[in-house]
Amino acid sequence: MPRKRSTDEGDELLARLGSLTAQARQRAEQQRTQVELAIALQRGMLPRDLPTAPGLRLAVRYAPANLGLNVGGDWYDAFAMSDGRIGLSIGDVQGHNIEAAAFMGQVRAGLRALASVTGEPGELLARTNELLLSLGSDLFATCTFMRLEPATGVLESARAGHIPFVWATADGQSGVADDEGGPPLGIEKGVQYPVTRHRLTTGGVFVLVTDGVVEGPSLNIEDGLDQVVRLAGIAAVAGLEARALAAAVIKGAESVGHEDDAAVLVVGLDGLGGRPGIQP
């Protein structure tokens, strides 16, 4: 009898272990499916083609996080506006899950739709903010939106809680823009977003990034932005292609020390008259 009881207990233990193993496999499969769905949502909502114009040089790089469920909602966008100017945006949704990826699609689609009503960057962000608040989501997003006139290099920019962009010139100047901004989208009603005017001339570049490129456990945001400034400065002086600069910047994201989304948008112009550089 003791031997029979020992065998029964062993069988019960094996059955329990088998059940736990099956549950763990099921959870792992569910997590894998959610990650794959979130990444598919992210990639499906990003633009497949970038606008073109004489002298305009655009380049993008995007690296989605895929560690566990750490999938976020970073995005970039570039599109031709009805008046012939180019709309440019980059942003980051709070959170790292499938809801963040879906919310990212709502923000990007909202910006594009409202850009057909108003292209003025500050008003566009204000209207998008009100739209997101009306959806009743607990999520919010940081964003920079720019409107560029390729023929003149005149660019207007507004920022909603997002990281400032980096600039560099063909004659060796570079830095981080000190544009005034407003709070992230989807937090507070009735917000006004200041607009800053720049002029990008021959050989100059703007580099827009999300925080996954410049900030993490191994790199503070100041050092991260300095790293992008150095890369942009070298690229502008050397006359490197926009896509080479974008590739170098996204490569630098490996030093931040964590698995987060990372997006880069490089804007450059060539063939314009006048002194190379960037002018406020």
Side-chain angles (χ1 to χ4, degrees):
M1 289 297 297
R3 182 177 303 170
K4 178 73 165 55
R5 196 162 45 243
S6 176
T7 301
D8 290 344
E9 290 174 353
D11 290 343
E12 182 179 357
L13 177 59
L14 289 173
R16 289 181 179 179
L17 287 174
S19 177
L20 291 173
T21 300
Q23 292 175 22
R25 286 176 177 172
Q26 184 179 16
R27 286 194 295 269
E29 180 64 22
Q30 290 174 343
Q31 290 181 348
R32 185 183 66 81
T33 300
Q34 288 183 342
V35 169
E36 290 177 350
L37 177 58
I39 292 175
L41 275 172
Q42 289 172 316
R43 293 194 181 280
M45 292 175 183
L46 296 174
R48 295 185 178 182
D49 300 305
L50 299 176
T52 59
L56 178 64
R57 298 293 178 261
L58 294 178
V60 295
R61 287 293 185 276
Y62 177 68
N66 53 18
L67 178 64
L69 290 179
N70 193 30
V71 178
D74 289 19
W75 85 88
Y76 63 83
D77 201 4
F79 57 94
M81 305 178 75
S82 59
D83 60 3
R85 285 181 278 194
I86 304 296
L88 305 159
S89 72
I90 194 166
D92 184 2
V93 173
Q94 167 254 349
H96 295 88
N97 49 38
I98 195 168
E99 288 78 16
F103 190 72
M104 175 268 284
Q106 292 178 313
V107 179
R108 177 176 170 266
L111 283 167
R112 278 213 179 197
L114 291 170
S116 65
V117 178
T118 174
E120 200 275 337
E123 183 179 354
L124 177 56
L125 289 186
R127 291 194 179 207
T128 304
N129 179 59
E130 297 301 321
L131 173 63
L132 296 180
L133 287 169
S134 73
L135 297 177
S137 174
D138 293 330
L139 298 177
F140 62 86
T142 67
C143 175
T144 293
F145 185 85
M146 294 178 167
R147 179 171 65 173
L148 172 66
E149 171 53 72
T152 63
V154 172
L155 183 147
E156 299 161 294
S157 174
R159 187 162 58 94
H162 199 69
I163 297 170
F165 66 84
V166 166
W167 59 270
T169 73
D171 59 359
Q173 302 179 62
S174 59
V176 178
D178 58 357
D179 296 3
E180 181 182 359
L185 303 173
I187 292 182
E188 180 183 350
K189 289 187 176 182
V191 177
Q192 299 299 313
Y193 294 92
V195 176
T196 305
R197 186 182 177 94
H198 301 273
R199 184 167 177 264
L200 180 62
T201 56
T202 308
V205 293
F206 286 148
V207 184
L208 291 77
V209 301
T210 57
D211 60 0
V213 178
V214 295
E215 183 179 23
S218 301
L219 191 70
N220 63 55
I221 190 168
E222 290 80 13
D223 290 342
L225 284 170
D226 285 346
Q227 179 173 272
V228 178
V229 168
R230 288 193 296 272
L231 290 171
I234 293 170
V237 170
L240 298 180
E241 293 186 356
R243 60 185 179 182
L245 174 55
V249 172
I250 202 74
K251 178 69 174 177
E254 297 176 359
S255 64
V256 302
H258 66 118
E259 294 287 339
D260 194 4
D261 285 6
V264 178
L265 171 58
V266 174
V267 186
L269 289 174
D270 61 26
L272 299 176
R275 175 180 176 273
I278 180 173
Q279 302 167 3

